[in-house]
Amino acid sequence: HEERRHIRINIKPLELEPNRHERLGRAVAFADANGINALAHDADDIRLGIVVVGHSYVQTMEALRMLQLDEREIKALGIAVYRVGMPSPFTLSNAGIRRLVAKAKFLLVVEEREGIVESQLKAALYGHLHQPAIVGKEDRRGHPMLPEIGTLNAAKIASAIADVYCA
């Protein structure tokens, strides 16, 4: 019966739900405790928070260098960078993202392809007293900003950073 080894007979799908939520909670706690999702660059007075997903972090740091901003200037301008290594489930449980959300005027979400973290962040902040303007795939007017198709490069990200910061 080798072909049936992954079939779970006598298990009802709804019985697995509590276990799934418990596992997701443990995964989020693990990510928070081990710096998988963490504030990579902080600033005292945050104007722009950049939420970067996965390997787009390298491109984002290159974009900041293209804008001729070093570590000291990034901090002085009030730019903070939050690095997301585990995009799903994305929660506000991490102290770094809570600080970013509480202090930033704008959040720029940089992620390849679809705006998964961007939509999770907007949903998590819906109805909050302090809700920074969140942009990424689209700017505040609904115009395309960072592409969903193709790869992101440092030049595109630098342009988005400049547009959001100067808004």
Side-chain angles (χ1 to χ4, degrees), residues 51-128:
V51 179
V52 186
V53 182
H55 75 276
S56 296
Y57 177 78
V58 174
Q59 297 295 333
T60 300
M61 297 314 294
E62 178 61 27
L64 290 167
R65 282 189 288 280
M66 286 176 70
L67 294 169
Q68 298 181 347
L69 300 175
D70 62 19
E71 186 86 27
R72 185 183 50 76
E73 291 168 320
I74 291 168
K75 186 173 184 167
L77 288 171
I79 298 173
V81 180
Y82 184 80
R83 186 175 188 173
V84 179
M86 188 180 86
S88 185
F90 185 79
T91 68
L92 298 177
S93 65
N94 184 282
I97 194 67
R98 285 195 312 270
R99 173 170 163 64
L100 207 60
V101 165
K103 302 290 183 183
K105 292 182 181 180
F106 303 96
L107 290 179
L108 170 62
V109 182
V110 179
E111 59 188 319
E112 295 271 342
R113 299 185 186 89
E114 297 130 34
I116 294 170
V117 169
E118 183 178 348
S119 62
Q120 289 181 80
L121 188 55
K122 287 177 179 178
L125 291 176
Y126 182 77
H128 274 234

Side-chain angles (χ1 to χ4, degrees), residues 28-59:
V28 169
F30 178 84
D32 291 346
N34 291 287
I36 294 172
N37 296 341
L39 196 56
H41 301 278
D42 200 358
D44 297 326
D45 185 27
I46 302 172
R47 173 177 166 76
L48 171 61
I50 305 173
V51 179
V52 186
V53 182
H55 75 276
S56 296
Y57 177 78
V58 174
Q59 297 295 333

